[in-house]
Amino acid sequence: MTVTTTVNIRSSFGRQAWKRLQRNKGAVAALCIIALAILVGIAAYWIAPDATPYANRMTLEISGQRPGFRVTMLAMQKERPPQRAGFFSRMLYGQGDGVTYVPIRQWKFEGTDIVVQKYVDEETSLPERYPLAEVWYGRKGALQQPLPVLQRQTATQRIITKTYWLGTDRFGRDILSRLLIGTRVSLSVGCIAVLISLTIGVLLGAVAGYFRGRADDVVMWLINVIWSVPTLLLVFAITLALGKGFWQIFIAVGLTMWVSVARIIRGQVMSLRELQFVEAARALGYGHMRIIVRHILPNILGPVMVVAASNFASAIVVEAGLSFLGVGVQPPQPSWGLMIKENYNFIITHNPLLALAPGVAIMLMVLAFNLLGNGLRDAMDVR
């Protein structure tokens, strides 16, 4: 009977908290943004215009173009195209290009060749001639199909028009594709960093708050030492020790964010350990681990969720800052901070959106998690 009553109370509180959260328009909008970002991160290689690994298709002739730039491309078959990736392999890593894209202005057929005006820059073009067999089969040699057939197929399938909705960076890569795939980095860093910080922070905070005494002194000493070191310097030290890279940045950010979690959990546990239900559990002979895990931690789930949302936003900002400084995610892997680093010179020139687009993406994600954290704080307040 008691167990059923407890479950019903918890379920009722959860429903009430969800209803209160739904009445918070800011939190609902934040949830929608976060859900959209998760979907984009999962399906990034399926929806990105450039589905190559890391969206790293370089076309130097069209570098630094404005949003909405359109160009005609001649798709020339590679002699050794990459193996076709499976469904999950493409979803995780993308699909390599089987063709080489050549930007052109005009084209025409002359015998067994195609003559194009190659796009060099906005005012310059260069005439070039390609054998149709090289365009269609990826190698020079005798034509394997009649010329009229090749002409029709080349005209309809090998000459395409591409639109770069957010422009191209200084290497001629599609900004929109790199922005979509970069969503994975920000969400992954936030998720792993929050898991690491919660694991360490909840463990040390619960031990310090429940046992107090010497255990509390040791944990608080460690917290004060870690907190006395500037976060950026601590991340630099951990990154230099572990090396630069995708996974190293997860660990570095996570190991610097557990301090605030530990302090919050310690305070919550110290207040709960004096309540009657904890005294009753001790009187029934339950062990310390059972009391902490089964009776105390479920009652501080609200503050944990709030600090998790706040740490998620902080992790995104820290990762972007580290990537901007060159010690985070390494090229060619797309990261919003790295995209700002690569294109910030365009802010004072003719195309500021190249750096502003990832900056706006960072702002929206951080704002969404902060609004969600505020909404969770209000929704899960028992008062």
Side-chain angles (χ1 to χ4, degrees):
M1 183 70 177
T2 304
V3 175
T4 304
T5 304
T6 303
V7 172
N8 290 336
I9 291 174
R10 289 179 180 175
S11 177
S12 176
F13 176 75
R15 287 196 296 268
Q16 292 175 3
W18 174 243
K19 290 180 180 179
R20 287 195 292 268
L21 185 66
Q22 287 180 310
R23 290 196 292 268
N24 189 325
K25 295 181 179 179
V28 172
L31 272 176
C32 293
I33 294 174
I34 294 170
L36 179 61
I38 293 173
L39 292 176
V40 167
I42 293 173
Y45 280 113
W46 292 104
I47 62 178
D50 180 5
T52 58
Y54 302 141
N56 196 40
R57 181 193 295 146
M58 297 185 184
T59 310
L60 296 178
E61 294 87 352
I62 58 172
S63 60
Q65 296 296 334
R66 291 179 177 275
F69 173 72
R70 302 186 70 182
V71 64
T72 303
M73 294 281 196
L74 172 63
M76 298 182 60
Q77 183 71 28
K78 291 182 178 179
E79 185 172 352
R80 293 182 179 179
Q83 186 178 1
R84 187 173 181 82
F87 178 82
F88 290 104
S89 178
R90 181 177 178 183
M91 184 175 68
L92 294 175
Y93 307 110
Q95 170 66 56
D97 271 335
V99 297
T100 300
Y101 290 99
V102 179
I104 62 176
R105 294 184 185 275
Q106 298 175 351
W107 56 276
K108 64 179 179 178
F109 293 105
E110 289 186 0
T112 59
D113 296 339
I114 180 171
V115 179
V116 301
Q117 292 292 326
K118 184 179 179 181
Y119 183 101
V120 178
D121 56 37
E122 295 179 355
E123 299 179 354
T124 309
S125 59
L126 181 67
E128 289 193 358
R129 178 185 296 266
Y130 300 101
L132 286 174
E134 185 177 353
V135 173
W136 193 253
Y137 300 108
R139 61 184 183 276
K140 296 181 181 180
L143 296 177
Q144 300 181 22
Q145 296 187 31
L147 180 59
V149 176
L150 270 175
Q151 286 180 329
R152 289 194 298 269
Q153 292 175 336
T154 304
T156 56
Q157 299 182 27
R158 294 302 190 189
I159 298 178
I160 59 178
T161 300
K162 285 184 172 292
T163 302
Y164 295 88
W165 298 106
L166 292 181
T168 59
D169 64 8
R170 61 193 181 101
F171 298 108
R173 297 175 296 193
D174 183 26
I175 289 291
L176 177 59
S177 299
R178 292 182 65 79
L179 196 69
L180 294 175
I181 297 173
T183 307
R184 289 186 173 188
V185 175
S186 295
L187 292 179
S188 300
V189 168
C191 183
I192 302 299
V194 165
L195 288 177
I196 294 175
S197 64
L198 287 183
T199 301
I200 299 175
V202 169
L203 176 63
L204 294 182
V207 169
Y210 183 82
F211 292 103
R212 297 192 297 186
R214 186 173 295 275
D216 188 24
D217 293 339
V218 171
V219 172
M220 287 305 299
W221 175 84
L222 181 61
I223 289 175
N224 291 330
V225 169
I226 298 297
W227 222 336
S228 65
V229 181
T231 301
L232 200 57
L233 292 180
L234 186 59
V235 172
F236 279 161
I238 296 174
T239 303
L240 292 176
L242 298 177
K244 300 178 183 178
F246 185 63
W247 295 103
Q248 288 86 340
I249 196 67
F250 290 170
I251 300 173
V253 175
L255 290 179
T256 58
M257 300 181 65
W258 64 268
V259 180
S260 58
V261 180
R263 286 181 64 91
I264 293 174
I265 298 302
R266 171 182 173 271
Q268 295 290 324
V269 172
M270 289 184 71
S271 63
L272 289 177
R273 73 183 300 275
E274 306 298 336
L275 297 182
Q276 292 180 349
F277 72 92
V278 177
E279 294 292 336
R282 291 199 195 99
L284 291 173
Y286 292 152
H288 297 309
M289 184 61 66
R290 178 188 174 95
I291 294 174
I292 293 174
V293 174
R294 296 288 300 275
H295 301 284
I296 294 181
L297 291 184
N299 283 281
I300 60 174
L301 185 61
V304 169
M305 294 180 65
V306 173
V307 74
S310 176
N311 282 354
F312 210 117
S314 300
I316 293 174
V317 174
V318 171
E319 182 277 324
L322 291 175
S323 297
F324 181 84
L325 294 174
V327 296
V329 175
Q330 298 300 300
Q333 188 166 11
S335 164
W336 292 343
L338 185 60
M339 291 174 66
I340 296 176
K341 175 188 176 183
E342 293 174 344
N343 301 301
Y344 74 93
N345 288 330
F346 289 100
I347 293 179
I348 58 175
T349 58
H350 66 290
N351 197 356
L353 190 62
L354 298 184
L356 293 179
V360 171
I362 294 172
M363 182 196 71
L364 285 177
M365 288 301 298
V366 172
L367 179 62
F369 278 103
N370 283 330
L371 288 176
L372 179 61
N374 292 337
L376 290 172
R377 179 196 62 202
D378 297 337
M380 304 191 75
D381 188 353
V382 295
R383 293 171 295 180

